[in-house]
Amino acid sequence: MPDLDLPFPTVTQYASPDLIAAIVYDGHDRGDDPRWAESGAPDLETYRTWCGHMCGIACLRMALLARTGDAPTLFELLDGARKYGAYTEDADSGAIRGLIYAPFAQYVHDVQRLHAEVHPTITESGLLALLDSGRLVMASVHKEIRRPENPAPGKGGHLVLVTGRHGDTVYFRNPSGHTEPARTANLPLAEFINFFAGRGLSLA
């Protein structure tokens, strides 16, 4: 079986992949990241505020790198997406909402010159069909897909980039994978579906 993910770039939403386990499971300060500037963030506090919301941006950066080998930084992409309304911030609480699919897809089309399509509903067969057509799929899954040996606690809320399939096995990149196998992952479709909310975006 070919390794479908071998030539595909990996981008994490946190600047230091080796800190992800500590950040997501041990309460490590997201801002205590010695590589934060590599994200393109203008300052440490901006990085701390936004890095936990960057899964979709990391997926986009991977798609762009796969296309040409070059891509803007995470925060350059975030700034562009925010200008299109793909994220909102509550003026009182500072709570961040996003990634909002429709304005994000418009940004990707207008600025990054990728065809992006919003899919409010993606069935199992629909996911396979999108992959078979050569599209990448930003799929909404539960963040605990990084530990698929455990029962899925829910569906949706986090984005991974599904890059292809071999038979009934789907291959994907997880921007918040806490280990290398969790970042460069594959699962049988039947297991992937346990975490999958049945919605997302496709890119080509």
Side-chain angles (χ1 to χ4, degrees), residues 41-63:
D43 54 66
L44 180 57
E45 193 54 41
T46 302
Y47 174 80
R48 177 185 282 115
T49 298
W50 281 94
C51 62
H53 302 275
M54 300 276 275
C55 53
I57 297 297
C59 288
L60 173 59
R61 189 162 195 268
M62 284 187 270

Side-chain angles (χ1 to χ4, degrees), residues 108-131:
V108 171
H109 174 269
D110 290 353
V111 179
Q112 301 303 332
R113 302 303 181 189
L114 285 176
H115 177 70
E117 183 176 352
V118 177
H119 301 277
T121 302
I122 307 176
T123 63
E124 293 181 41
S125 60
L127 175 61
L128 297 182
L130 287 169
L131 297 174

Side-chain angles (χ1 to χ4, degrees), residues 60-172:
L60 173 59
R61 189 162 195 268
M62 284 187 270
L64 294 171
L65 287 170
R67 180 182 64 175
T68 64
D70 188 36
T73 67
L74 288 173
F75 273 80
E76 287 172 332
L77 293 171
L78 175 65
D79 288 346
R82 290 176 68 188
K83 289 174 183 175
Y84 273 72
Y87 293 87
T88 62
E89 293 179 80
D90 185 272
D92 297 322
S93 68
I96 295 169
R97 175 175 174 257
L99 191 145
I100 304 169
Y101 290 175
F104 178 77
Q106 194 65 52
Y107 162 68
V108 171
H109 174 269
D110 290 353
V111 179
Q112 301 303 332
R113 302 303 181 189
L114 285 176
H115 177 70
E117 183 176 352
V118 177
H119 301 277
T121 302
I122 307 176
T123 63
E124 293 181 41
S125 60
L127 175 61
L128 297 182
L130 287 169
L131 297 174
D132 288 345
S133 71
R135 299 182 73 83
L136 301 170
V137 179
M138 292 174 54
S140 178
V141 300
H142 193 280
K143 62 187 178 181
E144 279 301 299
I145 200 169
R146 58 185 165 232
R147 299 194 294 188
E149 67 276 10
N150 298 328
K155 298 187 177 190
H158 175 62
L159 289 165
V160 299
L161 186 67
V162 187
T163 60
R165 64 117 166 191
H166 185 92
D168 288 331
T169 298
V170 295
Y171 291 71
F172 59 96

